[in-house]
Amino acid sequence: MKILVAEDDETMAGYIRKGLIEQGFSVDWVSDGREALTYCLYNTCDLAIVDRMMPGLDGLSLVKALRASNSSLPVIFLTAVSDVEDKVEGLMAGADDYIVKPFHFSELLARIHALSRRPKENSHKTELTCHDLKLDLLKRVAIRQGQVIDLQNKEFALLELLMEAEGRVVSRTMILEKIWDFSFDPGTTVVETHISKLRQKIDKPFDMALIQTVRNMGYRIRAPY
């Protein structure tokens, strides 16, 4: 599970990050609200822990911007603001939970596990679509312009990951963690190899390429504008 910690207090962020990593989570940290918004919109993660008061963009505005972009990313507010009105405001803005500092790490962990048990937004879906490309999750094939495209297991998993994050960048590290279940290795070319194979099957036979490389960031699949 990939978690973003958006907290401008370096000591607090370090404490949270250390505890989560010890529990087996993959954790990234940003200290600015605008950085957090960019990360959430252009990367794949499973949950964000957001401080209410941050430079650049406050947590409340961050969550409102995420919900306005139709992001369903689970968000836990972690803040020193404890008034009931502020809690209600945070939850009404779109946060999923609200924890007041100081807090026990065990409580934060319990809230994370509770959110992770919620059904995923697309858990009931049997098909993903992007422009004229469809991915049948039951038959485990891709279909483009009526043509059935058979995919190997890793190719299917990679395409599914990209299509779930349609329009957003999926980093190379995230692909390695989710598809091959190992951490970043600068020496491996397995991601590039499988992206190339996908392009041969998904893009090359057709007029429009959907899979894009975003330099120094990763890959995304996006319908043409």
Side-chain angles (χ1 to χ4, degrees):
M1 187 175 182
K2 184 83 166 185
I3 297 177
L4 174 69
V5 176
E7 167 66 68
D8 64 329
D9 184 324
E10 187 173 353
T11 301
M12 175 63 72
Y15 165 71
I16 296 171
R17 187 170 182 273
K18 181 176 182 294
L20 292 175
I21 290 174
E22 288 175 348
Q23 293 294 317
F25 296 105
S26 177
V27 185
D28 282 337
W29 168 53
V30 296
S31 58
D32 178 277
R34 293 195 183 280
E35 290 181 45
L37 179 59
T38 299
Y39 182 100
C40 293
L41 292 177
Y42 295 101
N43 293 274
T44 301
C45 65
D46 301 296
L47 183 141
I49 299 171
V50 176
D51 185 23
R52 173 107 181 210
M53 303 301 294
M54 287 186 294
L57 190 70
D58 66 89
L60 196 67
S61 299
L62 166 61
V63 172
K64 288 180 178 179
L66 283 175
R67 299 307 179 231
S69 69
N70 295 319
S71 171
S72 59
L73 176 71
V75 175
I76 297 176
F77 266 141
L78 190 62
T79 176
V81 180
S82 59
D83 293 342
V84 172
E85 292 80 5
D86 291 311
K87 291 181 180 179
V88 171
E89 186 180 24
L91 294 171
M92 291 298 291
D96 297 271
D97 211 337
Y98 203 110
I99 299 179
V100 178
K101 302 173 185 176
F103 64 95
H104 292 289
F105 184 78
S106 59
E107 179 186 5
L108 174 61
L109 194 61
R111 302 288 184 94
I112 291 171
H113 284 309
L115 284 175
S116 71
R117 289 194 295 269
R118 289 185 182 179
K120 300 293 184 183
E121 183 179 293
N122 67 344
S123 61
H124 63 286
K125 291 185 178 180
T126 60
E127 184 178 275
L128 298 172
T129 61
C130 177
H131 190 47
D132 57 356
L133 173 65
K134 296 180 182 180
L135 190 67
D136 190 317
L137 302 179
L138 296 180
K139 296 180 179 178
R140 297 186 67 79
V141 295
I143 304 169
R144 189 168 185 187
Q145 296 181 14
Q147 297 185 34
V148 177
I149 304 168
D150 290 320
L151 300 171
Q152 300 296 318
N153 288 337
K154 293 299 186 184
E155 294 169 353
F156 184 93
L158 178 54
L159 184 59
E160 182 179 6
L161 179 62
L162 292 172
M163 292 183 71
E164 284 177 345
E166 181 186 357
R168 291 180 283 127
V169 177
V170 183
S171 70
R172 185 173 180 273
T173 301
M174 180 64 70
I175 292 172
L176 283 171
E177 290 177 348
K178 286 189 171 289
I179 307 301
W180 282 273
D181 196 27
F182 59 85
S183 300
F184 177 73
D185 178 357
T188 183
T189 61
V190 66
V191 174
E192 290 80 1
T193 298
H194 279 74
I195 287 288
S196 178
K197 289 180 179 179
L198 265 186
R199 282 176 166 148
Q200 289 293 320
K201 295 182 177 182
I202 299 300
D203 284 340
K204 189 173 182 180
F206 304 95
D207 295 333
M208 184 71 65
L210 300 178
I211 300 173
Q212 302 175 351
T213 299
V214 182
R215 189 174 180 181
N216 297 325
M217 293 182 65
Y219 303 93
R220 70 182 168 202
I221 190 165
R222 186 170 68 178
Y225 293 108

